[in-house]
Amino acid sequence: MSKTESLTRVTLAYLLAFGTATAWLVWGPDTDRLWLDALIADVLATVVVFGASRWHHNSSFYDAYWSVLPPYLAVYWVVASSAAGDDVRTLLVLGVVFLWAVRLTANWVITFPGLHHEDWRYPMLRERAGRLELPVDFFAIHLIPTFQVFLGVLPIYAAVARPGRDVGWLDGVALVIGVGAVTLELVADGQMRRFIRDRSPGEAMDRGLWGWSRHPNYFGEISFWFALGLFGIAAAPGDWWWLMAGTVAMTAMFLGASIPMMEARSLERRPSYQDVIDRVPMLLPRPPRRRAAP
């Protein structure tokens, strides 16, 4: 299947998924809680994407859902609440969210080879599950990430859908961190694509931002979710105890699962990566150590 046909099928599945979500939001029972309405719509859309994944025997159908969901929910909360949040803060939040979503989705489109390819982690999880392959596919690969992202976007709800404090200095900090995070990821993406294009067999990436952090893209991703949490706290300081839950969940996922899996795979495929581990910090950027003298 060509890349064009693959992208077309993914796009149609997402249109059906978000059409289902929108139908629920417009005609479904009203829970009187905008966040709960959004969560139910989110789960319904995830079920549709899961169905497409099973139909095509490829769970990578879900990958771009991660990046297109936050702007959809952000716009819904603004419209459904009649823009109850501070107008300036709402514009700032929407700007950061759409900037992040466009970058992440564009990077996925650029690097997506087609539906003949599937993220290597998904078949590994299904194979390990054995007879429980179907529920593992649904819960571990689709539904749990959906809940993680929803937890991460709840600060958007606090910032744009409820009356809160006027825009202030903390919003400025959140804006700088959010835009900085997206910029860092954009640069890291470009550097990695160029490296993959020009690398020698067995060579490990340690150039540019990747020479300061082994996972600058993950550092940028965590920083983005942290920025959303700050926007939420700027609007509702008394709710700080739950507004950062999404940032904590994302950080735990990257540190506890994504990074260890990527590191193990890199060492297995490129033994020279051990030298990168010895010199370059795992996440927080800093100048790399010098190579040891032979």
Side-chain angles (χ1 to χ4, degrees), residues 1 8 10 18-19 62 85 126 128 198 210 223 242 250 268 276:
M1 186 184 301
T8 300
V10 173
F18 285 102
Y62 180 82
R126 293 195 300 266
R128 290 178 178 178
D198 302 330
W210 301 84
S223 299
W242 62 267
M250 292 294 179
E268 179 183 342
V276 179

Side-chain angles (χ1 to χ4, degrees), residues 261-294:
M261 292 175 72
M262 292 297 294
E263 300 257 282
R265 180 173 171 82
S266 294
L267 281 171
E268 179 183 342
R269 302 175 70 190
R270 292 177 290 276
S272 62
Y273 187 66
Q274 183 60 53
D275 174 65
V276 179
I277 292 177
D278 294 339
R279 295 183 299 103
V280 180
M282 181 181 69
L283 190 65
L284 295 175
R286 65 162 172 75
R289 299 186 183 93
R290 293 184 179 180
R291 286 187 172 88

Side-chain angles (χ1 to χ4, degrees), residues 39-55 58-60 62 65 118 121-123 125-127 129-148:
L39 177 58
I40 296 171
D42 189 2
V43 171
L44 291 174
T46 300
V47 170
V48 174
V49 175
F50 173 69
S53 295
R54 299 298 294 187
W55 181 269
N58 191 329
S59 294
S60 281
Y62 180 82
Y65 187 72
E118 184 179 29
R121 291 167 287 195
Y122 301 155
L125 288 172
R126 293 195 300 266
E127 289 169 7
R131 295 179 181 179
L132 298 177
E133 176 266 335
L134 177 61
V136 165
D137 192 9
F138 177 61
F139 288 100
I141 299 177
H142 293 78
L143 192 59
I144 291 177
T146 286
F147 280 119
Q148 280 187 301

Side-chain angles (χ1 to χ4, degrees), residues 107-182:
N107 186 62
W108 175 79
V109 171
I110 292 170
T111 59
F112 178 59
L115 287 173
H116 60 276
H117 168 81
E118 184 179 29
D119 188 299
W120 59 273
R121 291 167 287 195
Y122 301 155
M124 181 184 69
L125 288 172
R126 293 195 300 266
E127 289 169 7
R128 290 178 178 178
R131 295 179 181 179
L132 298 177
E133 176 266 335
L134 177 61
V136 165
D137 192 9
F138 177 61
F139 288 100
I141 299 177
H142 293 78
L143 192 59
I144 291 177
T146 286
F147 280 119
Q148 280 187 301
V149 173
F150 189 81
L151 196 60
V153 301
L154 276 178
I156 300 176
Y157 166 74
V160 306
R162 301 192 310 177
R165 288 192 175 184
D166 293 340
V167 68
W169 66 269
L170 190 55
D171 295 282
V173 173
L175 177 65
V176 170
I177 293 175
V179 173
V182 175

Side-chain angles (χ1 to χ4, degrees), residues 197-208:
R197 181 191 63 203
D198 302 330
R199 68 183 172 186
S200 303
E203 185 180 4
M205 174 57 152
D206 64 349
R207 306 172 188 172

